[in-house]
PDB file of all heavy atoms in Angstrom:
ATOM      1  N   GLU A  28     -11.873  -3.782   0.130  1.00 88.00           N
ATOM      2  CA  GLU A  28     -13.303  -3.492   0.066  1.00 88.00           C
ATOM      3  C   GLU A  28     -14.029  -3.954   1.326  1.00 88.00           C
ATOM      4  O   GLU A  28     -14.838  -3.217   1.906  1.00 88.00           O
ATOM      5  CB  GLU A  28     -13.885  -4.193  -1.162  1.00 88.00           C
ATOM      6  CG  GLU A  28     -15.265  -3.781  -1.532  1.00 88.00           C
ATOM      7  CD  GLU A  28     -15.692  -4.424  -2.828  1.00 88.00           C
ATOM      8  OE1 GLU A  28     -14.879  -4.510  -3.768  1.00 88.00           O
ATOM      9  OE2 GLU A  28     -16.857  -4.856  -2.883  1.00 88.00           O
ATOM     10  N   LEU A  29     -13.741  -5.162   1.765  1.00 87.00           N
ATOM     11  CA  LEU A  29     -14.399  -5.675   2.964  1.00 87.00           C
ATOM     12  C   LEU A  29     -13.906  -4.974   4.224  1.00 87.00           C
ATOM     13  O   LEU A  29     -14.668  -4.805   5.180  1.00 87.00           O
ATOM     14  CB  LEU A  29     -14.209  -7.183   3.062  1.00 87.00           C
ATOM     15  CG  LEU A  29     -14.940  -7.989   1.982  1.00 87.00           C
ATOM     16  CD1 LEU A  29     -14.578  -9.455   2.066  1.00 87.00           C
ATOM     17  CD2 LEU A  29     -16.434  -7.791   2.088  1.00 87.00           C
ATOM     18  N   ALA A  30     -12.636  -4.560   4.235  1.00 86.00           N
ATOM     19  CA  ALA A  30     -12.115  -3.831   5.400  1.00 86.00           C
ATOM     20  C   ALA A  30     -12.784  -2.472   5.526  1.00 86.00           C
ATOM     21  O   ALA A  30     -13.028  -1.997   6.637  1.00 86.00           O
ATOM     22  CB  ALA A  30     -10.608  -3.667   5.285  1.00 86.00           C
ATOM     23  N   CYS A  31     -13.079  -1.844   4.409  1.00 86.00           N
ATOM     24  CA  CYS A  31     -13.757  -0.547   4.461  1.00 86.00           C
ATOM     25  C   CYS A  31     -15.211  -0.677   4.898  1.00 86.00           C
ATOM     26  O   CYS A  31     -15.795   0.278   5.415  1.00 86.00           O
ATOM     27  CB  CYS A  31     -13.669   0.145   3.099  1.00 86.00           C
ATOM     28  SG  CYS A  31     -12.011   0.725   2.711  1.00 86.00           S
ATOM     29  N   GLN A  32     -15.802  -1.842   4.714  1.00 86.00           N
ATOM     30  CA  GLN A  32     -17.187  -2.052   5.135  1.00 86.00           C
ATOM     31  C   GLN A  32     -17.301  -2.335   6.627  1.00 86.00           C
ATOM     32  O   GLN A  32     -18.349  -2.089   7.223  1.00 86.00           O
ATOM     33  CB  GLN A  32     -17.815  -3.193   4.344  1.00 86.00           C
ATOM     34  CG  GLN A  32     -18.091  -2.841   2.913  1.00 86.00           C
ATOM     35  CD  GLN A  32     -18.682  -3.993   2.148  1.00 86.00           C
ATOM     36  OE1 GLN A  32     -18.851  -5.096   2.672  1.00 86.00           O
ATOM     37  NE2 GLN A  32     -19.001  -3.753   0.883  1.00 86.00           N
ATOM     38  N   TYR A  33     -16.217  -2.875   7.223  1.00 80.00           N
ATOM     39  CA  TYR A  33     -16.247  -3.129   8.661  1.00 80.00           C
ATOM     40  C   TYR A  33     -16.147  -1.800   9.395  1.00 80.00           C
ATOM     41  O   TYR A  33     -15.698  -0.800   8.861  1.00 80.00           O
ATOM     42  CB  TYR A  33     -15.076  -4.039   9.062  1.00 80.00           C
ATOM     43  CG  TYR A  33     -15.319  -5.494   8.798  1.00 80.00           C
ATOM     44  CD1 TYR A  33     -15.208  -6.020   7.510  1.00 80.00           C
ATOM     45  CD2 TYR A  33     -15.663  -6.359   9.815  1.00 80.00           C
ATOM     46  CE1 TYR A  33     -15.420  -7.358   7.251  1.00 80.00           C
ATOM     47  CE2 TYR A  33     -15.876  -7.699   9.576  1.00 80.00           C
ATOM     48  CZ  TYR A  33     -15.754  -8.193   8.294  1.00 80.00           C
ATOM     49  OH  TYR A  33     -15.971  -9.516   8.055  1.00 80.00           O
ATOM     50  N   SER A  34     -16.534  -1.796  10.649  1.00 70.00           N
ATOM     51  CA  SER A  34     -16.489  -0.554  11.425  1.00 70.00           C
ATOM     52  C   SER A  34     -15.158  -0.459  12.179  1.00 70.00           C
ATOM     53  O   SER A  34     -15.129  -0.457  13.405  1.00 70.00           O
ATOM     54  CB  SER A  34     -17.667  -0.507  12.393  1.00 70.00           C
ATOM     55  OG  SER A  34     -17.605  -1.623  13.265  1.00 70.00           O
ATOM     56  N   TRP A  35     -14.082  -0.408  11.442  1.00 74.00           N
ATOM     57  CA  TRP A  35     -12.764  -0.225  12.031  1.00 74.00           C
ATOM     58  C   TRP A  35     -12.515   1.267  12.208  1.00 74.00           C
ATOM     59  O   TRP A  35     -13.145   2.096  11.595  1.00 74.00           O
ATOM     60  CB  TRP A  35     -11.681  -0.800  11.113  1.00 74.00           C
ATOM     61  CG  TRP A  35     -11.700  -2.291  11.029  1.00 74.00           C
ATOM     62  CD1 TRP A  35     -12.343  -3.039  10.106  1.00 74.00           C
ATOM     63  CD2 TRP A  35     -11.065  -3.210  11.910  1.00 74.00           C
ATOM     64  NE1 TRP A  35     -12.153  -4.371  10.345  1.00 74.00           N
ATOM     65  CE2 TRP A  35     -11.362  -4.502  11.453  1.00 74.00           C
ATOM     66  CE3 TRP A  35     -10.275  -3.073  13.041  1.00 74.00           C
ATOM     67  CZ2 TRP A  35     -10.889  -5.643  12.090  1.00 74.00           C
ATOM     68  CZ3 TRP A  35      -9.806  -4.215  13.663  1.00 74.00           C
ATOM     69  CH2 TRP A  35     -10.123  -5.475  13.189  1.00 74.00           C
ATOM     70  N   GLY A  36     -11.545   1.575  13.014  1.00 82.00           N
ATOM     71  CA  GLY A  36     -11.184   2.972  13.197  1.00 82.00           C
ATOM     72  C   GLY A  36     -10.402   3.486  11.997  1.00 82.00           C
ATOM     73  O   GLY A  36      -9.909   2.731  11.169  1.00 82.00           O
ATOM     74  N   ILE A  37     -10.276   4.792  11.937  1.00 87.00           N
ATOM     75  CA  ILE A  37      -9.567   5.421  10.822  1.00 87.00           C
ATOM     76  C   ILE A  37      -8.077   5.082  10.854  1.00 87.00           C
ATOM     77  O   ILE A  37      -7.430   4.986   9.812  1.00 87.00           O
ATOM     78  CB  ILE A  37      -9.809   6.959  10.817  1.00 87.00           C
ATOM     79  CG1 ILE A  37      -9.304   7.590   9.529  1.00 87.00           C
ATOM     80  CG2 ILE A  37      -9.146   7.614  12.010  1.00 87.00           C
ATOM     81  CD1 ILE A  37     -10.144   7.264   8.346  1.00 87.00           C
ATOM     82  N   PHE A  38      -7.535   4.844  12.043  1.00 88.00           N
ATOM     83  CA  PHE A  38      -6.114   4.513  12.163  1.00 88.00           C
ATOM     84  C   PHE A  38      -5.803   3.178  11.488  1.00 88.00           C
ATOM     85  O   PHE A  38      -4.796   3.044  10.789  1.00 88.00           O
ATOM     86  CB  PHE A  38      -5.700   4.478  13.641  1.00 88.00           C
ATOM     87  CG  PHE A  38      -4.263   4.108  13.836  1.00 88.00           C
ATOM     88  CD1 PHE A  38      -3.254   5.008  13.534  1.00 88.00           C
ATOM     89  CD2 PHE A  38      -3.922   2.853  14.317  1.00 88.00           C
ATOM     90  CE1 PHE A  38      -1.935   4.660  13.701  1.00 88.00           C
ATOM     91  CE2 PHE A  38      -2.606   2.493  14.494  1.00 88.00           C
ATOM     92  CZ  PHE A  38      -1.599   3.404  14.186  1.00 88.00           C
ATOM     93  N   VAL A  39      -6.667   2.200  11.678  1.00 84.00           N
ATOM     94  CA  VAL A  39      -6.451   0.873  11.084  1.00 84.00           C
ATOM     95  C   VAL A  39      -6.533   0.958   9.565  1.00 84.00           C
ATOM     96  O   VAL A  39      -5.708   0.387   8.847  1.00 84.00           O
ATOM     97  CB  VAL A  39      -7.467  -0.143  11.645  1.00 84.00           C
ATOM     98  CG1 VAL A  39      -7.360  -1.470  10.934  1.00 84.00           C
ATOM     99  CG2 VAL A  39      -7.264  -0.310  13.138  1.00 84.00           C
ATOM    100  N   LEU A  40      -7.507   1.693   9.055  1.00 86.00           N
ATOM    101  CA  LEU A  40      -7.629   1.857   7.608  1.00 86.00           C
ATOM    102  C   LEU A  40      -6.457   2.644   7.036  1.00 86.00           C
ATOM    103  O   LEU A  40      -5.955   2.332   5.948  1.00 86.00           O
ATOM    104  CB  LEU A  40      -8.946   2.539   7.257  1.00 86.00           C
ATOM    105  CG  LEU A  40     -10.200   1.724   7.513  1.00 86.00           C
ATOM    106  CD1 LEU A  40     -11.438   2.537   7.210  1.00 86.00           C
ATOM    107  CD2 LEU A  40     -10.182   0.442   6.700  1.00 86.00           C
ATOM    108  N   LEU A  41      -5.995   3.644   7.761  1.00 88.00           N
ATOM    109  CA  LEU A  41      -4.839   4.414   7.315  1.00 88.00           C
ATOM    110  C   LEU A  41      -3.591   3.535   7.243  1.00 88.00           C
ATOM    111  O   LEU A  41      -2.817   3.624   6.272  1.00 88.00           O
ATOM    112  CB  LEU A  41      -4.616   5.607   8.252  1.00 88.00           C
ATOM    113  CG  LEU A  41      -3.489   6.553   7.867  1.00 88.00           C
ATOM    114  CD1 LEU A  41      -3.825   7.273   6.572  1.00 88.00           C
ATOM    115  CD2 LEU A  41      -3.255   7.557   8.985  1.00 88.00           C
ATOM    116  N   MET A  42      -3.404   2.690   8.222  1.00 84.00           N
ATOM    117  CA  MET A  42      -2.255   1.770   8.209  1.00 84.00           C
ATOM    118  C   MET A  42      -2.340   0.787   7.036  1.00 84.00           C
ATOM    119  O   MET A  42      -1.338   0.449   6.425  1.00 84.00           O
ATOM    120  CB  MET A  42      -2.163   1.013   9.535  1.00 84.00           C
ATOM    121  CG  MET A  42      -1.787   1.880  10.711  1.00 84.00           C
ATOM    122  SD  MET A  42      -0.219   2.745  10.499  1.00 84.00           S
ATOM    123  CE  MET A  42       0.907   1.381  10.525  1.00 84.00           C
ATOM    124  N   MET A  43      -3.536   0.347   6.714  1.00 85.00           N
ATOM    125  CA  MET A  43      -3.717  -0.565   5.589  1.00 85.00           C
ATOM    126  C   MET A  43      -3.336   0.126   4.277  1.00 85.00           C
ATOM    127  O   MET A  43      -2.629  -0.443   3.448  1.00 85.00           O
ATOM    128  CB  MET A  43      -5.155  -1.051   5.523  1.00 85.00           C
ATOM    129  CG  MET A  43      -5.419  -1.987   4.353  1.00 85.00           C
ATOM    130  SD  MET A  43      -7.155  -2.377   4.121  1.00 85.00           S
ATOM    131  CE  MET A  43      -7.822  -0.796   3.694  1.00 85.00           C
ATOM    132  N   PHE A  44      -3.775   1.365   4.105  1.00 87.00           N
ATOM    133  CA  PHE A  44      -3.457   2.075   2.869  1.00 87.00           C
ATOM    134  C   PHE A  44      -1.981   2.447   2.787  1.00 87.00           C
ATOM    135  O   PHE A  44      -1.408   2.486   1.700  1.00 87.00           O
ATOM    136  CB  PHE A  44      -4.355   3.306   2.714  1.00 87.00           C
ATOM    137  CG  PHE A  44      -5.756   2.956   2.311  1.00 87.00           C
ATOM    138  CD1 PHE A  44      -6.814   3.228   3.149  1.00 87.00           C
ATOM    139  CD2 PHE A  44      -6.010   2.334   1.100  1.00 87.00           C
ATOM    140  CE1 PHE A  44      -8.100   2.891   2.792  1.00 87.00           C
ATOM    141  CE2 PHE A  44      -7.298   1.987   0.733  1.00 87.00           C
ATOM    142  CZ  PHE A  44      -8.345   2.270   1.574  1.00 87.00           C
ATOM    143  N   ILE A  45      -1.344   2.697   3.917  1.00 87.00           N
ATOM    144  CA  ILE A  45       0.105   2.935   3.915  1.00 87.00           C
ATOM    145  C   ILE A  45       0.831   1.667   3.500  1.00 87.00           C
ATOM    146  O   ILE A  45       1.790   1.707   2.709  1.00 87.00           O
ATOM    147  CB  ILE A  45       0.579   3.440   5.297  1.00 87.00           C
ATOM    148  CG1 ILE A  45       0.115   4.874   5.505  1.00 87.00           C
ATOM    149  CG2 ILE A  45       2.088   3.345   5.427  1.00 87.00           C
ATOM    150  CD1 ILE A  45       0.365   5.409   6.892  1.00 87.00           C
ATOM    151  N   CYS A  46       0.385   0.532   4.004  1.00 82.00           N
ATOM    152  CA  CYS A  46       0.975  -0.760   3.632  1.00 82.00           C
ATOM    153  C   CYS A  46       0.835  -0.997   2.130  1.00 82.00           C
ATOM    154  O   CYS A  46       1.771  -1.449   1.471  1.00 82.00           O
ATOM    155  CB  CYS A  46       0.304  -1.864   4.428  1.00 82.00           C
ATOM    156  SG  CYS A  46       0.858  -3.516   4.056  1.00 82.00           S
ATOM    157  N   LEU A  47      -0.314  -0.693   1.587  1.00 84.00           N
ATOM    158  CA  LEU A  47      -0.533  -0.864   0.146  1.00 84.00           C
ATOM    159  C   LEU A  47       0.337   0.079  -0.674  1.00 84.00           C
ATOM    160  O   LEU A  47       0.873  -0.304  -1.717  1.00 84.00           O
ATOM    161  CB  LEU A  47      -2.002  -0.639  -0.188  1.00 84.00           C
ATOM    162  CG  LEU A  47      -2.972  -1.693   0.316  1.00 84.00           C
ATOM    163  CD1 LEU A  47      -4.400  -1.258   0.074  1.00 84.00           C
ATOM    164  CD2 LEU A  47      -2.699  -3.019  -0.345  1.00 84.00           C
ATOM    165  N   SER A  48       0.504   1.301  -0.210  1.00 86.00           N
ATOM    166  CA  SER A  48       1.323   2.249  -0.963  1.00 86.00           C
ATOM    167  C   SER A  48       2.802   1.894  -0.907  1.00 86.00           C
ATOM    168  O   SER A  48       3.535   2.154  -1.865  1.00 86.00           O
ATOM    169  CB  SER A  48       1.088   3.672  -0.457  1.00 86.00           C
ATOM    170  OG  SER A  48       1.514   3.802   0.870  1.00 86.00           O
ATOM    171  N   LEU A  49       3.256   1.296   0.179  1.00 83.00           N
ATOM    172  CA  LEU A  49       4.652   0.864   0.256  1.00 83.00           C
ATOM    173  C   LEU A  49       4.946  -0.239  -0.767  1.00 83.00           C
ATOM    174  O   LEU A  49       6.032  -0.287  -1.335  1.00 83.00           O
ATOM    175  CB  LEU A  49       4.991   0.395   1.667  1.00 83.00           C
ATOM    176  CG  LEU A  49       5.122   1.488   2.708  1.00 83.00           C
ATOM    177  CD1 LEU A  49       5.355   0.882   4.091  1.00 83.00           C
ATOM    178  CD2 LEU A  49       6.239   2.447   2.363  1.00 83.00           C
ATOM    179  N   THR A  50       3.986  -1.102  -1.011  1.00 82.00           N
ATOM    180  CA  THR A  50       4.156  -2.143  -2.019  1.00 82.00           C
ATOM    181  C   THR A  50       4.346  -1.526  -3.399  1.00 82.00           C
ATOM    182  O   THR A  50       5.205  -1.951  -4.170  1.00 82.00           O
ATOM    183  CB  THR A  50       2.938  -3.078  -2.034  1.00 82.00           C
ATOM    184  OG1 THR A  50       2.773  -3.637  -0.742  1.00 82.00           O
ATOM    185  CG2 THR A  50       3.102  -4.175  -3.057  1.00 82.00           C
ATOM    186  N   VAL A  51       3.575  -0.519  -3.696  1.00 85.00           N
ATOM    187  CA  VAL A  51       3.704   0.157  -4.991  1.00 85.00           C
ATOM    188  C   VAL A  51       5.044   0.880  -5.074  1.00 85.00           C
ATOM    189  O   VAL A  51       5.714   0.838  -6.120  1.00 85.00           O
ATOM    190  CB  VAL A  51       2.526   1.130  -5.205  1.00 85.00           C
ATOM    191  CG1 VAL A  51       2.715   1.959  -6.454  1.00 85.00           C
ATOM    192  CG2 VAL A  51       1.223   0.364  -5.259  1.00 85.00           C
ATOM    193  N   LEU A  52       5.473   1.516  -3.986  1.00 86.00           N
ATOM    194  CA  LEU A  52       6.734   2.259  -4.009  1.00 86.00           C
ATOM    195  C   LEU A  52       7.941   1.354  -4.246  1.00 86.00           C
ATOM    196  O   LEU A  52       8.824   1.690  -5.034  1.00 86.00           O
ATOM    197  CB  LEU A  52       6.903   3.037  -2.713  1.00 86.00           C
ATOM    198  CG  LEU A  52       6.058   4.287  -2.581  1.00 86.00           C
ATOM    199  CD1 LEU A  52       6.229   4.921  -1.208  1.00 86.00           C
ATOM    200  CD2 LEU A  52       6.406   5.280  -3.658  1.00 86.00           C
ATOM    201  N   TYR A  53       8.010   0.206  -3.575  1.00 84.00           N
ATOM    202  CA  TYR A  53       9.166  -0.651  -3.796  1.00 84.00           C
ATOM    203  C   TYR A  53       9.139  -1.233  -5.200  1.00 84.00           C
ATOM    204  O   TYR A  53      10.182  -1.443  -5.812  1.00 84.00           O
ATOM    205  CB  TYR A  53       9.293  -1.750  -2.735  1.00 84.00           C
ATOM    206  CG  TYR A  53       8.488  -2.991  -2.992  1.00 84.00           C
ATOM    207  CD1 TYR A  53       8.915  -3.946  -3.906  1.00 84.00           C
ATOM    208  CD2 TYR A  53       7.308  -3.246  -2.313  1.00 84.00           C
ATOM    209  CE1 TYR A  53       8.179  -5.082  -4.146  1.00 84.00           C
ATOM    210  CE2 TYR A  53       6.578  -4.371  -2.550  1.00 84.00           C
ATOM    211  CZ  TYR A  53       7.022  -5.282  -3.466  1.00 84.00           C
ATOM    212  OH  TYR A  53       6.285  -6.408  -3.701  1.00 84.00           O
ATOM    213  N   SER A  54       7.965  -1.494  -5.755  1.00 85.00           N
ATOM    214  CA  SER A  54       7.891  -2.041  -7.108  1.00 85.00           C
ATOM    215  C   SER A  54       8.330  -1.016  -8.147  1.00 85.00           C
ATOM    216  O   SER A  54       9.040  -1.353  -9.091  1.00 85.00           O
ATOM    217  CB  SER A  54       6.471  -2.508  -7.420  1.00 85.00           C
ATOM    218  OG  SER A  54       6.121  -3.565  -6.578  1.00 85.00           O
ATOM    219  N   VAL A  55       7.920   0.226  -7.962  1.00 86.00           N
ATOM    220  CA  VAL A  55       8.339   1.286  -8.885  1.00 86.00           C
ATOM    221  C   VAL A  55       9.847   1.509  -8.788  1.00 86.00           C
ATOM    222  O   VAL A  55      10.536   1.647  -9.803  1.00 86.00           O
ATOM    223  CB  VAL A  55       7.554   2.585  -8.597  1.00 86.00           C
ATOM    224  CG1 VAL A  55       8.151   3.775  -9.321  1.00 86.00           C
ATOM    225  CG2 VAL A  55       6.099   2.406  -8.978  1.00 86.00           C
ATOM    226  N   ARG A  56      10.372   1.499  -7.585  1.00 85.00           N
ATOM    227  CA  ARG A  56      11.817   1.676  -7.400  1.00 85.00           C
ATOM    228  C   ARG A  56      12.595   0.536  -8.030  1.00 85.00           C
ATOM    229  O   ARG A  56      13.602   0.759  -8.704  1.00 85.00           O
ATOM    230  CB  ARG A  56      12.131   1.754  -5.905  1.00 85.00           C
ATOM    231  CG  ARG A  56      13.602   1.915  -5.610  1.00 85.00           C
ATOM    232  CD  ARG A  56      13.829   2.066  -4.105  1.00 85.00           C
ATOM    233  NE  ARG A  56      15.239   2.184  -3.824  1.00 85.00           N
ATOM    234  CZ  ARG A  56      15.981   1.216  -3.306  1.00 85.00           C
ATOM    235  NH1 ARG A  56      15.427   0.057  -2.997  1.00 85.00           N
ATOM    236  NH2 ARG A  56      17.258   1.389  -3.085  1.00 85.00           N
ATOM    237  N   LEU A  57      12.112  -0.684  -7.843  1.00 84.00           N
ATOM    238  CA  LEU A  57      12.777  -1.847  -8.420  1.00 84.00           C
ATOM    239  C   LEU A  57      12.777  -1.781  -9.940  1.00 84.00           C
ATOM    240  O   LEU A  57      13.801  -2.016 -10.585  1.00 84.00           O
ATOM    241  CB  LEU A  57      12.084  -3.122  -7.940  1.00 84.00           C
ATOM    242  CG  LEU A  57      12.645  -4.451  -8.425  1.00 84.00           C
ATOM    243  CD1 LEU A  57      14.015  -4.684  -7.819  1.00 84.00           C
ATOM    244  CD2 LEU A  57      11.703  -5.573  -8.057  1.00 84.00           C
ATOM    245  N   THR A  58      11.645  -1.436 -10.538  1.00 84.00           N
ATOM    246  CA  THR A  58      11.548  -1.345 -11.990  1.00 84.00           C
ATOM    247  C   THR A  58      12.408  -0.215 -12.528  1.00 84.00           C
ATOM    248  O   THR A  58      13.116  -0.380 -13.526  1.00 84.00           O
ATOM    249  CB  THR A  58      10.080  -1.145 -12.414  1.00 84.00           C
ATOM    250  OG1 THR A  58       9.328  -2.255 -11.940  1.00 84.00           O
ATOM    251  CG2 THR A  58       9.948  -1.052 -13.909  1.00 84.00           C
ATOM    252  N   TYR A  59      12.382   0.922 -11.867  1.00 84.00           N
ATOM    253  CA  TYR A  59      13.162   2.055 -12.346  1.00 84.00           C
ATOM    254  C   TYR A  59      14.660   1.764 -12.307  1.00 84.00           C
ATOM    255  O   TYR A  59      15.366   1.983 -13.286  1.00 84.00           O
ATOM    256  CB  TYR A  59      12.853   3.318 -11.535  1.00 84.00           C
ATOM    257  CG  TYR A  59      13.720   4.485 -11.953  1.00 84.00           C
ATOM    258  CD1 TYR A  59      13.458   5.165 -13.138  1.00 84.00           C
ATOM    259  CD2 TYR A  59      14.808   4.876 -11.192  1.00 84.00           C
ATOM    260  CE1 TYR A  59      14.264   6.207 -13.546  1.00 84.00           C
ATOM    261  CE2 TYR A  59      15.616   5.915 -11.589  1.00 84.00           C
ATOM    262  CZ  TYR A  59      15.347   6.585 -12.769  1.00 84.00           C
ATOM    263  OH  TYR A  59      16.161   7.608 -13.172  1.00 84.00           O
ATOM    264  N   LEU A  60      15.137   1.283 -11.161  1.00 81.00           N
ATOM    265  CA  LEU A  60      16.575   1.060 -11.036  1.00 81.00           C
ATOM    266  C   LEU A  60      17.077  -0.090 -11.913  1.00 81.00           C
ATOM    267  O   LEU A  60      18.229  -0.103 -12.309  1.00 81.00           O
ATOM    268  CB  LEU A  60      16.939   0.801  -9.575  1.00 81.00           C
ATOM    269  CG  LEU A  60      16.818   2.011  -8.646  1.00 81.00           C
ATOM    270  CD1 LEU A  60      17.118   1.605  -7.221  1.00 81.00           C
ATOM    271  CD2 LEU A  60      17.745   3.120  -9.087  1.00 81.00           C
ATOM    272  N   SER A  61      16.213  -1.054 -12.207  1.00 80.00           N
ATOM    273  CA  SER A  61      16.641  -2.198 -13.006  1.00 80.00           C
ATOM    274  C   SER A  61      16.550  -1.951 -14.511  1.00 80.00           C
ATOM    275  O   SER A  61      17.444  -2.323 -15.252  1.00 80.00           O
ATOM    276  CB  SER A  61      15.802  -3.437 -12.682  1.00 80.00           C
ATOM    277  OG  SER A  61      15.970  -3.797 -11.353  1.00 80.00           O
ATOM    278  N   PHE A  62      15.476  -1.333 -14.949  1.00 80.00           N
ATOM    279  CA  PHE A  62      15.220  -1.276 -16.379  1.00 80.00           C
ATOM    280  C   PHE A  62      15.255   0.120 -16.986  1.00 80.00           C
ATOM    281  O   PHE A  62      15.598   0.274 -18.149  1.00 80.00           O
ATOM    282  CB  PHE A  62      13.844  -1.899 -16.687  1.00 80.00           C
ATOM    283  CG  PHE A  62      13.753  -3.335 -16.285  1.00 80.00           C
ATOM    284  CD1 PHE A  62      12.884  -3.735 -15.284  1.00 80.00           C
ATOM    285  CD2 PHE A  62      14.536  -4.293 -16.892  1.00 80.00           C
ATOM    286  CE1 PHE A  62      12.796  -5.056 -14.913  1.00 80.00           C
ATOM    287  CE2 PHE A  62      14.465  -5.611 -16.507  1.00 80.00           C
ATOM    288  CZ  PHE A  62      13.597  -6.000 -15.526  1.00 80.00           C
ATOM    289  N   VAL A  63      14.891   1.136 -16.244  1.00 80.00           N
ATOM    290  CA  VAL A  63      14.747   2.462 -16.832  1.00 80.00           C
ATOM    291  C   VAL A  63      15.930   3.368 -16.505  1.00 80.00           C
ATOM    292  O   VAL A  63      16.378   4.125 -17.351  1.00 80.00           O
ATOM    293  CB  VAL A  63      13.425   3.122 -16.330  1.00 80.00           C
ATOM    294  CG1 VAL A  63      13.242   4.484 -16.935  1.00 80.00           C
ATOM    295  CG2 VAL A  63      12.244   2.233 -16.639  1.00 80.00           C
ATOM    296  N   GLY A  64      16.440   3.265 -15.297  1.00 74.00           N
ATOM    297  CA  GLY A  64      17.490   4.170 -14.829  1.00 74.00           C
ATOM    298  C   GLY A  64      18.773   4.028 -15.617  1.00 74.00           C
ATOM    299  O   GLY A  64      18.941   3.139 -16.453  1.00 74.00           O
TER     300      GLY A  64
END
């Protein structure tokens, strides 16, 4: 929220959201392969 309020470039915000999505991807993969797969 605070990063979006600062006047950063779109590249920096895009990198932040990619970093956040990678966290979700590894967690989903870990859960799937361990418990559901």
Side-chain angles (χ1 to χ4, degrees):
E28 192 174 319
L29 292 174
C31 289
Q32 288 179 357
Y33 279 78
S34 59
W35 290 93
I37 191 72
F38 178 73
V39 174
L40 292 176
L41 183 67
M42 291 303 293
M43 179 188 65
F44 285 116
I45 288 172
C46 178
L47 291 173
S48 64
L49 287 176
T50 302
V51 173
L52 285 176
Y53 85 78
S54 296
V55 168
R56 179 177 178 255
L57 181 68
T58 301
Y59 176 76
L60 290 176
S61 298
F62 299 115
V63 181

